[in-house]
Structures are given as C-alpha cells and as structure tokens.
Amino acid sequence: MKLVVLPGDGIGPETMAATVEVLEAVSHKFDLNLSLDHDVAGHESLRKYGATVTPELLAKVKAADGLMLGPMATYDFKDEAKGEINPSKFFRKELDLFANIRPARTWAGVPHKVDDFDLVVVRENTEGFYADRNIASGGSEMLITSDVVVSLRRITRECCARVARSAFELAQRRRKHVSIVHKANVLKLGDGMFIEECQRVAKDFPEVEVDEFIVDAMMAHVVRAPQRFDVIVTTNMFGDILSDLTAELSGSLGLGGSVNAGQQYAMGQAAHGSAPDIAGQDIANPFSLILSASQLLNWCGQRSNDMRFVRASEAIVTCAAQAVEHGEATRDVGGQLGTAATGRKLAQRIASLTR
Ligand code: NAD
C-alpha cells in the first residue's frame, strides 16, 4: 500500500513527522508493508516549482492508494495565476473527495466543558459557499464595483445525495441517528434541496432515526448537549465551522482528525490549519493528523477488504486514548510532552502492543 505524504506549512512538518513515526510503527506491527512517498506542497512547492501543487504531484497521488496532506497556509495563497493554489481545494476537487468526515469525541484525561460525547460531522466538500471550487473555470466570487462583492453558492442534487449516503452508511455502523443541519429558513432553495435529498436517501435506511436542525440553533444544541448527536450531515461551510466547534468541545482543535473521501481516492487531513502562531516550537498537538492517518488506513482497509488496515486504524485510536489518559500528550490536552515526543511515545505504545 503506497501513501503520498505532504507535510505542508506552519506546524505541518513537525506534526507530519510525528504522524510518519506512528504510521511506520503500525506498518511494522500489522504487516501493512506501507510505502511512504514523501513530496512537497504549499510554500515549499511554491519555492521549488513555482506552484503550491503541480500536475506531476496530482499524477503521483492518483497512482497511489492514499494521500496524507499536512495543514496548508491557505490564507497566504491569493493568486492562482502565480501558482498560489489552495492545495486542500485542489485535491478535494481533482480527486472528487466529496465527503469530509470529521469525528469528535471526549477523551478520558482531557478536560472538557461539556458532557461526554461521540459524534461525527459529515461535511459536503466539493461545492457550497466555496468560491474556489464550485464552477468549472474561474472563481464564483465577483467584484461588481470596488464596493460590491457577490459570492455565489452552488448546491446540486448529486452532491447532496452522495454526501447524505455517506452519512447514512456511517450512521448505520454507529448509533443509527442522522441530524441534518441547514439554513433552509433563509436559503430556501439550496438548503431546501439539501434536506430533500437527505430525506430521500433516508428512505433507504429505515432503521436510522433522522432529525433536522437550523445551523444557528445547532451551535447552541451542540454546546448544550453534544451527547444527543451521532452523525451530523451538512453543507460545506456549515460543516467547516461546526466541526471546529465540535473538535474544540472535545478538548482541543488539535484532536480533530478528518478524512476526505470519494469513490476512488481518500486524503487524511487534520481539521485545523497551519497554526503559524505556534509553528516550529514543538508544542503543536500531532493527534489531529495522527487520527486523520488512522481514518485513512480505515478507508484503505474497508475499500480493499483488508482487515489488517482496519485493525491498525483501531490500534492508533486505542493507543492515542491511552496516551492522552496518561498525559503522554501536548499541553493543549493536559500533557507535558512536545510534538516529537508525543509521536515517539505513541509509536512505542503501538510497538509494544501484543497481537
Ligand atoms: P488554525 O486552525 O491554524 O489555528 C487556530 C488556533 O488553533 C490557533 O490558536 C492554533 O495555535 C490552534 N491550533 C491549531 N492546530 C493546533 C494543534 N495541532 N495543536 C495545538 N493548537 C492548534 O487556524 P488559523 O490560524 O485561522 O489559520 C492559519 C492558516 O491555516 C491560514 O492560512 C488558514 O487559511 C489555514 N487553514 C488551513 C486549513 C487546512 O489546511 N485544512 C484549515 C484551516 C485553516
């Protein structure tokens, strides 16, 4: 199994180094025979090749079994004509990674201000209010006059239906409950269609309970009683915002893992950004990226029906839970370790597992 590894910007190189150590440990332990192909994207690629991502890199990723993408300094990348392409958008769009699956749960040993919970946000990833990805050419944000901007939002039945199906399939394997989050009171057509498609897919999953929440009220519900949610499905921007909230409610944004999944390809990617405020200080929490790697291995295992990958994925989560409980983690989650030592300790924990 071959994974392409792109460390990214800011805290990317340090969190990816810790993640690679963990991937190597599970590969050894579970005989995964993982081959990691290290390359660059973001600022380093811009310096080397004049673009944050290149067609050659895309071809390499398409030929591999999965991609680990580090956090990117997307806010720095303003002008595609100068090679400043948002790498997240690039891979999500080019590989048609339509479902961004972002679990969040409380962890023993990590202080959190809410009751215990375990939920997953399933976010549509390829259209919505994201001006850089929802039309075939150019952007969908326009400067009408120097004082007027119009931003277009695209919602299609196909994209609603396919992300809904991902959410219901996931709920079927979990606590069988899907919450649809929308703003159909204002975005009557677009979010109306989103609800319609989710409810249409729901008919194929009669044992899954379904409810609906307006996104603003959802913020209150999820802070007040996150334990009532299992799988939450929503459009792109709402999911982006909501999943940072649920990750932080779990104890830290640094615990928010995610996988971007399509029919053919998948990309593990931390929920957070490049965190320039803490980059290079060995204090960033690597668990978000490590848990994303675990989700990618799970996707690879399910797809190839190879349970070694599923077991390896589960072992990472189990060992991560033990590590945070024992304080073998960074300071944001109550530990005392640096980024590198957190990765090393977790790799050692995995290596010492009895099979
Ligand atoms: P951010 O997610 O990078 O950081 C938000 C806050 O959370 C900061 O205080 C940061 O220190 C903290 N934080 C983030 N990750 C952490 C970790 N692993 N451990 C401990 N603390 C962590 O958001 P930002 O500062 O608004 O954005 C920085 C850059 O990242 C921008 O260029 C933005 O566009 C980009 N970004 C990229 C992605 C991505 O690549 N998927 C996602 C969000 C933001």
Side-chain angles (χ1 to χ4, degrees), residues 1-6 20 23-28 31-39 60-61 63-68 296-297 300 308-309:
M1 196 73 78
K2 185 176 185 175
L3 302 182
V4 175
V5 174
L6 307 172
V20 163
L23 280 171
E24 282 168 349
V26 281
S27 179
H28 187 69
D31 300 323
L32 304 184
N33 200 18
L34 274 185
S35 134
L36 303 180
D37 187 343
H38 299 266
D39 212 314
K60 182 191 270 197
V61 169
D65 299 289
L67 167 64
M68 278 304 299
L296 180 62
L297 292 183
C300 292
R308 288 172 308 163
F309 286 84

Side-chain angles (χ1 to χ4, degrees), residues 11 71-75 88 253-254 269 272-278 284-285:
I11 59 171
M72 294 289 155
T74 47
Y75 200 40
S88 295
L253 189 50
Q269 183 186 26
H272 57 72
S274 59
D277 53 337
I278 57 168
N285 189 341

Side-chain angles (χ1 to χ4, degrees), residues 17-278:
T19 304
V20 163
E21 217 166 326
V22 170
L23 280 171
E24 282 168 349
V26 281
S27 179
H28 187 69
K29 191 80 204 172
F30 294 88
D31 300 323
L32 304 184
N33 200 18
L34 274 185
S35 134
L36 303 180
D37 187 343
H38 299 266
D39 212 314
V40 292
H43 275 298
E44 199 178 342
S45 175
L46 191 61
R47 272 192 301 274
K48 266 190 176 160
Y49 307 118
T52 50
V53 279
T54 61
E56 294 74 24
L57 179 60
L58 180 63
K60 182 191 270 197
V61 169
K62 282 186 169 173
D65 299 289
L67 167 64
M68 278 304 299
L69 182 68
M72 294 289 155
T74 47
Y75 200 40
D76 296 352
F77 308 140
K78 313 262 190 235
D79 188 353
E80 292 208 348
K82 294 182 182 154
E84 297 171 1
I85 300 154
N86 170 355
S88 295
K89 178 272 303 206
F90 177 77
F91 289 117
R92 287 171 183 174
K93 193 168 166 177
E94 296 297 332
L95 304 176
D96 202 20
L97 307 174
F98 58 84
N100 188 352
I101 298 167
R102 297 184 154 188
R105 50 168 276 208
T106 44
W107 301 76
V110 179
H112 48 273
K113 296 187 176 74
V114 290
D115 284 342
D116 283 345
F117 70 91
D118 180 351
L119 57 79
V120 185
V121 176
V122 178
R123 159 194 175 195
E124 202 292 321
N125 223 6
T126 48
E127 54 175 14
F129 247 133
Y130 284 69
D132 60 355
R133 74 199 61 171
N134 62 17
I135 61 176
S137 171
S140 60
E141 201 173 35
M142 287 151 282
L143 192 63
I144 306 297
T145 72
S146 57
D147 297 323
V148 179
V149 172
V150 171
S151 308
L152 295 179
R153 173 177 185 256
R154 188 186 74 165
I155 298 289
T156 59
R157 282 201 189 279
E158 187 200 351
C159 293
C160 297
R162 62 186 186 172
V163 76
R165 191 158 294 280
S166 296
F168 278 90
E169 283 170 357
L170 181 61
Q172 182 92 332
R173 302 195 295 273
R174 289 174 46 96
R175 302 195 307 276
K176 300 187 171 46
H177 179 191
V178 170
S179 303
I180 304 165
V181 172
H182 63 87
K183 186 77 183 168
N185 51 334
V186 174
L187 298 164
K188 292 181 199 300
L189 297 179
D191 274 14
M193 186 189 289
F194 181 70
I195 295 174
E196 226 172 270
E197 287 307 309
C198 287
Q199 292 289 7
R200 199 191 306 276
V201 170
K203 292 198 173 68
D204 296 338
F205 298 84
E207 60 281 31
V208 177
E209 184 198 341
V210 190
D211 46 25
E212 299 173 9
F213 293 87
I214 294 175
V215 65
D216 36 340
M218 182 65 178
M219 298 295 152
H221 286 300
V222 97
V223 170
R224 192 185 302 151
Q227 69 279 8
R228 65 187 280 199
F229 298 103
D230 176 20
V231 174
I232 299 167
V233 65
T234 189
T235 51
N236 201 343
M237 192 170 285
F238 297 159
D240 195 4
I241 297 166
L242 180 60
S243 58
D244 268 28
L245 175 66
T246 51
E248 191 63 30
L249 284 177
S250 80
S252 170
L253 189 50
L255 289 171
S258 92
V259 71
N260 301 263
Q263 292 298 351
Q264 255 186 299
Y265 304 103
M267 169 172 91
Q269 183 186 26
H272 57 72
S274 59
D277 53 337
I278 57 168

